[in-house]
Amino acid sequence: MDPLMLWARAQALFCRLVGPRDERGDVPGWVLVTVMTITVGMGLFAVARPMLTDMLRSALNSVR
């Protein structure tokens, strides 16, 4: 039997056994993950900003 046909039959059997899925997803969960990621990123940038600024200035001064 063709491996692709076998895969298609296995997938069809799985879908029949599991039933229909809700494709909407977990919107509040994704919003929470997004907000937390932005918060952590902003916090890290606030701490690292002076060091990043010094590194950029040093790199630009070395080009002159």
Side-chain angles (χ1 to χ4, degrees), residues 28-57:
W30 283 109
V31 170
L32 180 64
V33 167
T34 304
V35 169
M36 287 174 56
T37 302
I38 291 170
T39 304
V40 168
M42 288 175 61
L44 286 174
F45 183 72
V47 170
R49 185 175 184 178
M51 290 180 278
L52 292 171
T53 304
D54 290 341
M55 284 175 28
L56 180 62
R57 279 193 186 131

Side-chain angles (χ1 to χ4, degrees), residues 15 18-22:
C15 289
V18 172
R21 287 180 31 183
D22 184 13

Side-chain angles (χ1 to χ4, degrees), residues 3-19:
L4 193 57
M5 182 61 78
L6 185 62
W7 174 255
R9 286 187 181 190
Q11 200 171 20
L13 177 63
F14 178 76
C15 289
R16 258 188 271 136
L17 293 175
V18 172

